Amino acid sequence: MTKLGLFIPNFGPNATPDILRGWVRFAESHGFDLAMTSDHVAPTPDVTDLYPTPFYDPFATLAWLGGLTERIELGTTVTIIPYRHPLLVARMANNIDQFTGGRFILGTGVGWSEAEFAAVGVPFRERGKMTDEYLKAITDAWTNDVVSLDGAYVSYRDVATGPRAARAPHPPLWIGGWGPAAVRRTVQFGDAWHPNQLDLERVQATLPALRDEAERQGRPVPAFCPRMRTQLTDGHLLETGRPFGRGSLDQIRRDLATLIELGAAYVVLDALADNPADRLSPERDWETLAAVIAS
């Protein structure tokens, strides 16, 4: 059975401790299985044009929210892997998983803001190679008590990694992105493919590519765990050119049903409007999400 999650905006004028607390209370009271937050370390103008500050760190936020919840899983959609040392990411993920009794999911991506990469001193053009090396380092740290690495971007010797995660062998690792590199990376490292900004034709083309790549690598086929924009309009939209996840309540429910039919293990609903000027109050977003999942 497909599990349902929601995206918590951990940024902007409506990102306050009280509202973040309200999000997880809404999630648990309405039967959601998962709540996820996003990641930016040093928001530059290209980032803040879309995602205004304040911007709460996802790991600190989820550790706090873990203490306010009892049932739902908590995760990142997505952690920008090149921004942080992989041993730090591995340890923070394991810590949160321990504190929450095995409820943490690490969703990952390569990042997109060249200005933000410059701000943190990370080479933007090498972010794909860095992500591959860092994901290997993270999974090694998750499954070994002591690790060493002589890599192109990080090197260390005889580093202790404990504590282990509560979940064995490690927290679920979701890989975001599109295209051949994301497909290869998902199969090589991930438990699930976690695409955003969904285009149905592209999804339908990528799922067979994941199966083919899994066969090529001799690895299990990753689960399909998309994040779906969930933007309710005043009326029914013409199907021609309609963005996936946007439209009337019936249209959004049909889009969700389509993802379920495609075998989604999780669907993360994201009620946030793309344009900051169009964004609604959290209470309005909760109304939309409650209506979409109502039986």
Side-chain angles (χ1 to χ4, degrees), residues 23-295:
W23 272 101
V24 292
R25 286 178 174 169
F26 167 81
E28 286 208 319
S29 66
H30 283 76
F32 282 90
D33 301 289
L34 169 65
M36 306 190 90
T37 61
S38 59
D39 181 34
H40 281 283
V41 169
T44 46
D46 56 332
V47 174
T48 58
D49 283 348
L50 297 172
Y51 313 114
T53 54
F55 207 112
Y56 284 81
D57 175 79
F59 292 98
T61 302
L62 294 172
W64 175 62
L65 294 177
L68 301 176
T69 54
E70 297 180 355
R71 180 187 56 79
I72 58 170
E73 294 176 284
L74 301 162
T76 57
T77 176
V78 292
T79 299
I80 302 172
I81 288 297
Y83 284 173
R84 300 174 181 85
H85 195 288
L87 292 179
L88 173 63
V89 173
R91 188 175 298 277
M92 290 191 296
N94 277 356
N95 285 186
I96 297 173
D97 199 63
Q98 276 285 350
F99 293 146
T100 60
R103 292 189 283 132
F104 183 71
I105 294 172
L106 182 64
T108 67
V110 300
W112 57 268
S113 169
E114 188 167 358
E116 188 173 22
F117 271 79
V120 297
V122 176
F124 180 75
R125 303 295 175 189
E126 298 177 41
R127 67 195 189 281
K129 293 179 180 179
M130 291 185 71
T131 297
D132 287 343
E133 183 174 301
Y134 282 21
L135 288 175
K136 183 180 186 306
I138 290 167
T139 54
D140 284 349
W142 277 346
T143 52
N144 293 281
D145 294 331
V146 178
V147 291
S148 300
L149 177 66
D150 183 16
Y153 301 101
V154 289
S155 296
Y156 43 84
R157 182 70 51 189
D158 299 330
V159 175
T161 60
R164 291 284 185 92
R167 262 199 269 206
H170 54 69
L173 179 60
W174 293 7
I175 311 293
W178 297 88
V183 168
R184 187 266 308 155
R185 186 175 294 120
T186 300
V187 172
Q188 184 176 357
F189 299 108
D191 299 294
W193 178 46
H194 180 53
N196 189 14
Q197 301 284 9
L198 300 182
D199 175 275
L200 183 57
E201 290 185 2
R202 203 172 183 189
V203 167
Q204 291 170 325
T206 303
L207 290 174
L210 280 170
R211 292 192 289 270
D212 291 344
E213 181 65 18
E215 183 177 357
R216 189 188 72 79
Q217 292 191 30
R219 297 180 61 86
V221 178
F224 174 44
C225 300
R227 173 174 159 187
M228 182 182 115
R229 296 302 173 95
T230 311
Q231 298 172 3
L232 185 64
T233 59
D234 290 336
H236 192 84
L237 298 184
L238 293 175
E239 288 298 327
T240 303
R242 180 178 68 87
F244 194 85
R246 188 170 188 268
S248 67
L249 186 58
D250 285 344
Q251 287 175 312
I252 293 173
R253 285 177 170 171
R254 285 203 305 271
D255 289 344
L256 175 58
T258 296
L259 296 178
I260 293 171
E261 289 169 4
L262 288 171
Y266 290 75
V267 178
V268 179
L269 303 180
D270 177 2
L272 191 75
D274 294 330
N275 186 339
D278 297 331
R279 290 173 187 166
L280 305 175
S281 68
E283 291 79 7
R284 291 284 300 279
D285 288 341
W286 298 339
E287 290 175 6
T288 294
L289 294 168
V292 170
I293 67 170
S295 57

